[in-house]
Amino acid sequence: MSVADSGGSRGTDTGRPPLLLIEDTPSLRLVYEQVLRNAGHTVTSEMTGAGGRAAFRRLRPPVVLLDLMLPDCDGLDLMQAMLAEAPETRVIVITANGSINKAVAAMRAGAHEFLVKPFDEQRFVDAVRNALAASAPAAPAAPPPRHSAFIGDSRPMQEVYARIASVARSMATVFITGESGTGKELCAQAVHDQSGRAGGPFIALNCGAIPTDLLESEVFGHLKGAFTGAIQDKPGAAAAADGGTLFLDEVCELDLNLQTKLLRFLQTSQIQPVGAARPRKVDVRIVCATNRDPLAEVRAGRFREDLYYRLHVVPIHMPPLRTRGADVVGIAATMLRRYAAEEGKRFEGLSLEVIELFQRLPWPGNVRQLLNVLRNVVVLHDGPQVTLEMLPLELHHHAELARPDGDAPPPASDDIAAALAPLMGRTLAEIERLVIEAALARHDGSVPRTARALDVAPSTLYRKLDGWNRRDGG
């Protein structure tokens, strides 16, 4: 890590308490102090857990930079004690490469961010800046701005709005995580719309929906004649996003070879279309998303560690719908009115029984599942209220599984027979196609994810889909 000036003003006094650095290695402590002071921060440092605890109680710093390996105590225990005293404190944990599991445990215990040694100076400064922004007290009368596409003001979503507002004007790469259907693309669009690049293009690319052999061309483009079927020049998503934002959805689906090229692109801001003799520079901000645990993908060897740290600068986690409280009712009411207007129906609201059920359901498909249910109801029924009888059958099944006593009766043999009845009389090949198409729909058309769920190779599914398309097309 360099001690070069990071570009911030020197000696700035913000009037806030100093940052607290707890690091037991003298040489690293001096380097970190210098970088922070070059960036305009006031910092107090300690070398032991006891000294750090005393300084914390004396200063009440907004941000603590904490090495997890201390000579006199466990850094994780110290962090939990500090957060118990001052939950608003933002703790950035620092750990060695071999202790990533401990850093993940710290994140789960309430750490704001973690850094793995050795780390880039700019990443260090950005992490502190983002932690300070998150720790700044918000005026009660001025909640963080909410993008027009979002619905809901629950506390988890307020945190998302605040993080978007704090990072939007930056050029830092944003890494969005969350379950399928939580609105990761909406989050990426909001980051773009609130940034200085709002007038430029927003290009979204689903890395999981494109065959591996076509991904490089889709991202970086190709020249006419570069390969069989390249009948004309194609700019690619990175070139199309020049001056704007490139959103890479399901980024963990990228092939390892393409991950290497993406890392080179992030380092140089240059693209080289397939078949081109020389690269060219583009001005693109990267926002990416995944519904997987990216660190687990790194540990499994499916995602490059250096690419992870290049992309994972500012994380934003989209909360699942089941944790958003009354938001589910607000989303349902708003979208019900919108769908009713589109379909020419008379719906005005939800019955009390439906409201109670919606708040109790686990919503495994999150907001996407809720919107699917509402569209189904509006298309097949009419108002003025949505009643339990109008809801799809599968939702009643989820409701049964979500009963407060947690005991759902096992399916009766008659129920199993009824479920299998539509398959009777079909050939095995027809049943196979029905199962694969249903699995693809469940996984939003992602062949790699569907292949993992069915425990088959993605190439097997691509081959079957290609055969069915040719057969259907004559």
Side-chain angles (χ1 to χ4, degrees):
M1 181 173 175
S2 167
V3 296
D5 187 359
S6 63
S9 60
R10 297 175 181 266
T12 301
D13 183 2
T14 63
R16 302 182 68 184
L19 309 179
L20 175 58
L21 169 65
I22 307 174
E23 166 62 63
D24 68 319
T25 304
S27 58
L28 289 179
R29 181 168 55 88
L30 291 174
V31 169
Y32 299 159
E33 285 179 358
Q34 187 63 47
V35 170
L36 291 171
R37 289 179 178 133
N38 286 346
H41 301 295
T42 305
V43 57
T44 293
S45 63
E46 296 289 340
M47 298 182 63
T48 64
R53 182 74 177 271
F56 178 79
R57 287 176 168 169
R58 183 176 73 254
L59 300 171
R60 280 292 190 264
V63 173
V64 176
L65 298 110
L66 173 65
D67 188 343
L68 289 180
M69 305 300 291
L70 296 173
D72 60 337
C73 72
D74 185 293
L76 184 57
D77 292 339
L78 176 58
M79 183 197 78
Q80 291 175 317
M82 290 190 295
L83 290 178
E85 292 183 26
E88 72 280 2
T89 306
R90 297 300 188 264
V91 179
I92 301 172
V93 299
I94 302 171
T95 187
N97 189 53
S99 305
I100 291 180
N101 288 340
K102 196 165 187 179
V104 173
M107 293 291 287
R108 290 174 178 158
H112 178 76
E113 179 61 286
F114 74 90
L115 301 172
V116 178
K117 303 174 185 176
F119 41 80
D120 179 77
E121 178 180 316
Q122 191 57 49
R123 173 164 167 73
F124 183 54
V125 173
D126 286 342
V128 172
R129 182 185 300 117
N130 293 327
L132 282 170
S135 70
R146 171 162 57 92
H147 190 268
S148 59
F150 284 120
I151 303 169
D153 294 304
S154 61
R155 181 168 182 176
M157 289 306 295
Q158 290 284 352
E159 293 176 359
V160 170
Y161 304 149
R163 181 61 67 93
I164 291 173
S166 68
V167 75
R169 292 280 170 182
S170 153
M171 267 298 289
T173 303
V174 177
F175 200 116
I176 306 168
T177 57
E179 297 175 11
S180 181
T182 50
K184 295 187 289 295
E185 184 167 351
L186 283 182
C187 180
Q189 182 74 60
V191 170
H192 172 75
D193 290 346
Q194 294 182 34
S195 74
R197 296 171 167 261
F202 175 82
I203 304 297
L205 188 67
N206 188 330
C207 301
I210 301 170
T212 300
D213 55 348
L214 296 180
L215 258 174
E216 182 176 0
S217 171
E218 290 293 327
V219 176
F220 300 116
H222 64 251
L223 300 186
K224 179 180 178 180
F227 51 83
T228 302
I231 58 175
Q232 60 184 8
D233 291 353
K234 179 183 178 65
D242 196 6
T245 302
L246 175 60
F247 173 51
L248 298 175
D249 197 7
E250 303 302 346
V251 71
C252 286
E253 305 285 355
L254 284 175
D255 176 81
L256 282 170
N257 289 330
L258 192 57
Q259 290 179 30
T260 302
K261 295 180 180 180
L262 178 60
L263 179 62
R264 188 180 307 120
F265 166 55
L266 292 171
Q267 291 170 336
T268 66
S269 297
Q270 292 183 330
I271 60 170
Q272 187 164 356
V274 179
R278 27 179 94 82
R280 73 180 184 89
K281 208 165 185 74
V282 292
D283 176 23
V284 173
R285 182 191 192 171
I286 300 291
V287 177
C288 56
T290 183
N291 60 10
R292 297 200 216 171
D293 178 350
L295 268 179
E297 296 299 301
V298 170
R299 288 193 292 269
R302 292 187 292 264
F303 201 76
R304 291 180 60 110
E305 186 175 26
D306 48 4
L307 178 59
Y308 168 79
Y309 289 120
R310 177 67 69 165
L311 292 175
H312 200 270
V313 178
V314 181
I316 299 179
H317 181 71
M318 294 300 296
L321 184 58
R322 60 185 172 273
T323 67
R324 294 177 53 183
D327 280 359
V328 63
V329 178
I331 295 169
T334 300
M335 298 309 297
L336 177 68
R337 290 191 294 270
R338 186 177 303 175
Y339 291 160
E342 291 175 3
E343 302 288 343
K345 299 298 181 71
R346 299 177 294 112
F347 281 108
E348 297 174 359
L350 312 171
S351 70
L352 291 177
E353 294 81 7
V354 170
I355 290 174
E356 188 276 332
L357 175 63
F358 277 12
Q359 291 181 307
R360 181 162 52 91
L361 283 171
W363 297 109
N366 294 294
V367 177
R368 186 181 293 124
Q369 181 188 8
L370 174 60
L371 300 186
N372 178 277
V373 167
L374 293 170
R375 178 69 80 175
N376 175 284
V377 168
V378 172
V379 168
L380 297 180
H381 305 279
D382 204 350
Q385 282 194 328
V386 176
T387 63
L388 289 175
E389 294 74 22
M390 297 178 182
L391 300 177
L393 287 176
E394 60 267 24
L395 207 66
H396 290 285
H397 176 63
H398 285 309
E400 185 69 18
L401 294 177
R403 290 188 308 173
D405 60 7
D407 296 322
S413 58
D414 289 345
D415 295 333
I416 297 173
L420 293 176
L423 303 180
M424 296 300 102
R426 295 182 180 271
T427 66
L428 187 59
E430 289 173 330
I431 294 173
E432 179 188 55
R433 181 170 180 174
L434 286 171
V435 170
I436 289 175
E437 289 177 340
L440 280 165
R442 181 181 182 87
H443 293 283
D444 305 319
S446 170
V447 171
R449 283 191 282 135
T450 302
R452 283 195 297 275
L454 297 178
D455 196 22
V456 298
S459 59
T460 300
L461 294 189
Y462 282 123
R463 188 172 62 252
K464 289 182 180 294
L465 292 171
D466 184 55
W468 294 335
N469 289 336
R470 286 202 303 269
R471 194 179 313 137
D472 294 345

